[in-house]
């Protein structure tokens, strides 16, 4: 901030020093006129001829004096109006201040001419009929012409941002200042009549100011003593600022030529001489010098890393640089140039001793190299030093080996080219990277050409310039030139253009296409009517234009149409492919096609809506239709409200809608197939599960949950499909029930277990004495009856032992009683029948009490 303030103060002082003085014009007033004006002002009236003494109006002497004063005014005013300056001398600020001061001076003259004294003098002369002194007054002074010129020139001079350059404290601000100056200069020069013959010297004055400012900013740092990284960055910034100057000056020169033609001005050579060119050249040379020194120093440190001589070489390089460190490189005067030449000569003498050491080391390395590859590695290691002529000359004896090596490399390039592009790995990689065939072949050929250039540059880097003058070098150059002619890609492009021109690749016709598919028995199939060659065309055109080919406008227009339609076409083709796959999957499961009929109907309605679409609609909608959602995308197009508000958005909205409907159809079909497989698995499990009520209930509950999911997903014809499923379940359960009845009968008919000893006969009696109050005894016989226990209390262990569960008919005990001389059975046989029927019903209840599947549990 302090540096910026000091720069602004210095600039203000400079403006005071460079201010162009315009002489003040003081118009002499006759005393009689002055007294008359004073008297009129005292009386409060306007000065007029009536206020003058009538005798004076007839006095020729008085009138001659007034006329002489007017002639004197003309001369005084002409000192200002005829004033001019050479824009090629001085600074930009002096040119700007001159015209601004001229405008102020003319304004002061006009104020004086409008004063009462001047007006009264002119009125007196007119009243005395001295018209020759008054009529040509304005013309003789040249005020009008000077005022017009100053006014036109000051359109350019006002607000001229020269201070942005003069007050800059770093290179970045200098660059910004140059851009602002030329932006104002070019813009205002188009609007003003400032002559081109003055504009060019003014640009040269800006160049002088740029030179002074660069010298001032760079003078604050010692370029030769800076760290190389900081020096390199500073010089590159300076070069960037100078490149900005060159670009802006070129634009100004083009404008000057155009204005010269438009204004029909006298022809002058349009050339802007840059005053900062010597400084620019010196900076370029110093940057190159320091770059070579840095390369030499770094290479010595990297390569010559052993031995005491290496340390001395580094010290020698440092001492050599100390010679030029103290030279003022910004001094481009003859004395400064002589000082730099002396320092450079002393530097080169010291570096020559280091070069001898490097040459000895390089010769040893090359002598011990076993093949050309090792030689090239040595050369690449010492490559930074080959800019030194002495070192370059020391390696010329190895040119034969290098030429033979390059010949082998070129021969391998020949073999690669003869294998052709289609049989190369590059062709496969180009297909993976979506590179079209013709462009891929051209890129492949150019890669071979770049490799050839690399081999030739390698020889030049190692052997130096002029290598093609050798006999072997001439043969190598001729071989490479003949091979390079075979690498011309223009015939490949011409063949592609001729092939494309013969084809009718227009974007038109209907979008949807219905065809017969032989693989499916000539069934109708939905497709997209789009030529895939259009996709290849716009990719080829894009890549060929990037490769620098001039593609005709007709092909560019055709490719542009294909590119506009491409995202829609790819999305539609992918969507129809997904629809065909989902339909094929659905046809493999005909039992569930009715469930997906609703979603398929939505797809058909969408296709019906799009059957009238044509590709022309998408072409006319333009390229700015926004992103098209791929399969699975959703959403509409339009304005902020989400409603399509143009033909373009309606087309994009249809593509997204179709993609979304088909994606939903595919999703529902896959989900339906998965649910159907789960239900079929449950039905199969129902036919083989153990005959336990909990198993049947769990499986049927699982089936009902899957049906509820189908209901929630709004599948169509669910009621009918569930009815068919109910029939399948009924068949399975009827089969299981029939088998269960046979199992129960078998278990019921099986011989009952024997109670007691086997020797007991059927008429075994257990006699007991009844109480005295009974009046007699009672005779009891135990009769064993068969029954069954309920299936519910079966343990899981029994279920796990066997998949076939058998009923457990419980044993019933009937007692044959004799009481009061009466024999009866307790309990009676009817009780046994009732128990058997109850146990049979309990066995059948494992299936008969299950609930049927319901399709509309979510319906009100």
């Amino acid at each position: 901030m302090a540096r910026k303030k000091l720069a602004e103060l210095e600039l203000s002082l400079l403006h005071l020093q460079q201010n162009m003085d315009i002489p003040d014009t003081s118009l002499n007033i006759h005393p009689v006129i002055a007294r008359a004006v004073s008297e009129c002002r005292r009386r409060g009236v306007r000065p007029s001829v009536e206020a003058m003494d009538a005798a004076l109006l007839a006095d020729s002497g008085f009138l001659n004096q007034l006329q002489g004063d007017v002639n004197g005014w003309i001369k005084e005013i002409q000192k200002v109006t005829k004033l001019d300056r050479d824009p090629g001398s001085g600074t930009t600020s002096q040119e700007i201040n001159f015209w601004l001061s001229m405008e102020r001076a003319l304004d002061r003259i006009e104020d004086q001419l409008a004063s009462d004294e001047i007006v009264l003098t002119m009125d007196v002369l007119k009243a005395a009929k001295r018209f020759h002194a008054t009529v040509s007054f304005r013309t003789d002074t040249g005020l009008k012409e000077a005022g017009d010129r100053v006014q036109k020139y000051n359109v350019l001079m006002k607000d001229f941002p020269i201070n942005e350059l003069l007050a800059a404290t770093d290179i970045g601000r200098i660059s910004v200042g140059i851009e602002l100056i030329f932006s104002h200069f070019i813009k205002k020069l188009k609007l003003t009549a400032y002559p081109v013959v003055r504009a060019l010297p003014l640009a040269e004055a800006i160049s002088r100011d740029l030179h002074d400012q660069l010298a001032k900013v760079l003078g604050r740092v010692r370029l030769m003593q800076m760290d190389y990284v900081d020096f390199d960055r500073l010089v590159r910034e300076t070069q960037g600022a100078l490149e900005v100057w060159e670009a802006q000056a070129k634009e100004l020169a083009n404008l000057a030529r155009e204005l010269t033609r438009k204004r029909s001005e006298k022809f002058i050579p349009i050339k802007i001489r840059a005053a900062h060119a010597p400084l620019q050249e010196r900076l370029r040379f110093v940057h190159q010098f320091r770059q070579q020194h840095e390369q030499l120093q770094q290479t010595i440190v990297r390569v010559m890393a052993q031995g005491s001589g290496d340390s001395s070489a580094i010290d020698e390089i440092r001492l050599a640089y100390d010679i030029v460190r103290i030279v003022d490189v910004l001094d481009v005067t003859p004395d400064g140039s002589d000082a730099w030449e002396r320092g450079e000569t002393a530097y080169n003498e010291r570096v020559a001793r280091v070069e001898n050491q490097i040459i000895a080391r390089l010769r040893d390395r090359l002598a011990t190299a076993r093949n050309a590859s090792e030689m090239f590695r040595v050369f690449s290691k010492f490559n930074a030093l080959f800019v030194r002529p002495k070192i370059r000359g020391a390696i010329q004896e190895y040119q034969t080996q290098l030429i033979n090596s390059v010949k082998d490399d070129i021969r391998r390039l020949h073999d690669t080219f003869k294998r052709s592009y289609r049989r190369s790995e590059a062709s496969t990689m180009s297909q993976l990277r979506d590179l079209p065939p013709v462009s891929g072949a051209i890129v492949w050929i150019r890669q071979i050409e770049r490799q050839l250039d690399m081999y030739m540059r390698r020889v030049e880097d190692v052997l130096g310039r002029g290598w093609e003058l050798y006999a072997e070098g001439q043969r190598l150059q001729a071989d490479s030139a003949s091979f390079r002619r075979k690498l011309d890609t223009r015939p490949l492009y011409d063949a592609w253009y001729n092939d494309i021109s013969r084809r009718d690749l227009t974007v038109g016709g209907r979008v949807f296409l219905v065809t017969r598919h032989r693989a499916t028995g000539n069934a109708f199939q939905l497709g997209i009517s789009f030529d895939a060659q259009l996709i290849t065309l716009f990719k080829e055109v894009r890549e060929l234009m990037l490769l620098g080919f001039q593609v005709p406008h007709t092909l560019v227009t055709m490719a542009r149409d294909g590119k506009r339609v491409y995202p829609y076409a790819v999305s539609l083709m992918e969507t129809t492919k997904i629809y065909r796959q989902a339909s094929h999957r659905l046809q493999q499961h005909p039992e569930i096609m009715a469930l997906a009929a609703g979603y398929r109907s939505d797809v058909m309605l969408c296709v019906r809506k799009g059957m009238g679409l044509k590709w022309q609609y998408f072409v006319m909608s333009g390229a700015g239709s926004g992103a098209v959602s791929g399969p699975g995308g959703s959403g509409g197009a339009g304005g902020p409200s989400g409603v399509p508000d143009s033909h373009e958005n309606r087309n994009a909205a249809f593509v997204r809608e179709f993609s979304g409907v088909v994606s939903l159809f595919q999703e529902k079909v896959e989900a339906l197939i998965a649910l159907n497989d789960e239900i079929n698995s449950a039905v199969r499990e129902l036919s083989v599960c153990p005959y336990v009520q909990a198993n049947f209930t769990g499986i049927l509950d699982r089936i009902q949950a899957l049906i509820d999911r189908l209901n929630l997903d709004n599948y169509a014809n669910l009621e009918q499909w569930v009815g068919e499923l109910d029939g399948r379940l009924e068949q399975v359960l009827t089969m299981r029930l029939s088998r269960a009845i046979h199992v129960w009968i078998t278990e019921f008919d099986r011989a009952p277990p024997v109670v007691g000893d086997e020797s007991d006969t059927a008429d075994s009696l257990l006699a007991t004495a009844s109480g005295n109050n009974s009046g007699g005894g009672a005779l009891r016989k135990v009769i064993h009856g068969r029954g069954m226990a309920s299936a519910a209390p079966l343990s899981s262990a029994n279920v796990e032992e066997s998949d076939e569960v058998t009923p457990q008919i419980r044993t019933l005990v009937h007692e044959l009683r004799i009481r009061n001389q009466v024999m009866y059975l307790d309990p009676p046989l009817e009780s046994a029948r009732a128990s058997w029927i109850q146990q049979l019903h309990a066995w059948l209840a494992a299936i008969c009490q299950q609930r049927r599947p319901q399709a509309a549990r979510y319906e009100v």
Side-chain angles (χ1 to χ4, degrees), residues 11-35:
L11 179 60
S12 300
L13 296 175
L14 183 63
H15 283 173
L16 294 176
Q17 180 182 358
Q18 293 181 346
N19 187 23
M20 296 296 295
D21 292 331
I22 304 297
D24 288 333
T25 302
S26 179
L27 303 183
N28 186 30
I29 306 299
H30 197 279
V32 175
I33 298 296
R35 285 194 301 270

Side-chain angles (χ1 to χ4, degrees), residues 93-215:
S93 298
Q94 290 175 345
E95 176 72 6
I96 297 171
N97 293 335
F98 173 79
W99 293 109
L100 295 178
S101 300
M102 176 68 78
E103 184 178 16
R104 290 191 294 269
L106 293 177
D107 290 340
R108 288 195 296 269
I109 292 174
E110 290 290 349
D111 293 341
Q112 292 186 53
L113 293 179
S115 64
D116 294 338
E117 292 83 354
I118 303 297
V119 173
L120 181 58
T121 301
M122 302 302 288
D123 290 343
V124 169
L125 291 175
K126 290 178 183 179
K129 302 189 184 311
R130 298 289 184 99
F131 296 112
H132 60 279
T134 59
V135 172
S136 61
F137 177 77
R138 286 278 178 177
T139 305
D140 294 339
T141 57
L143 275 174
K144 186 177 184 306
E145 294 80 1
D148 292 342
R149 182 176 64 166
V150 169
Q151 184 178 4
K152 293 176 182 178
Y153 286 10
N154 280 344
V155 172
L156 174 64
M157 299 306 170
K158 287 181 180 178
D159 300 327
F160 201 96
I162 190 63
N163 291 345
E164 297 294 334
L165 173 63
L166 300 180
T169 57
D170 54 49
I171 301 300
R173 292 182 181 274
I174 290 178
S175 181
V176 173
I178 294 173
E179 291 181 350
L180 292 175
I181 288 171
F182 277 95
S183 176
H184 175 87
F185 199 172
I186 294 172
K187 178 181 178 181
K188 296 299 182 181
L189 189 59
K190 297 177 183 178
L191 305 176
T192 181
Y194 193 80
V196 175
V197 71
R198 296 186 68 93
L200 299 180
L202 180 60
E204 295 176 358
I206 297 174
S207 174
R208 290 193 293 271
D209 291 337
L210 174 62
H211 173 273
D212 296 340
Q213 199 62 25
L214 285 176

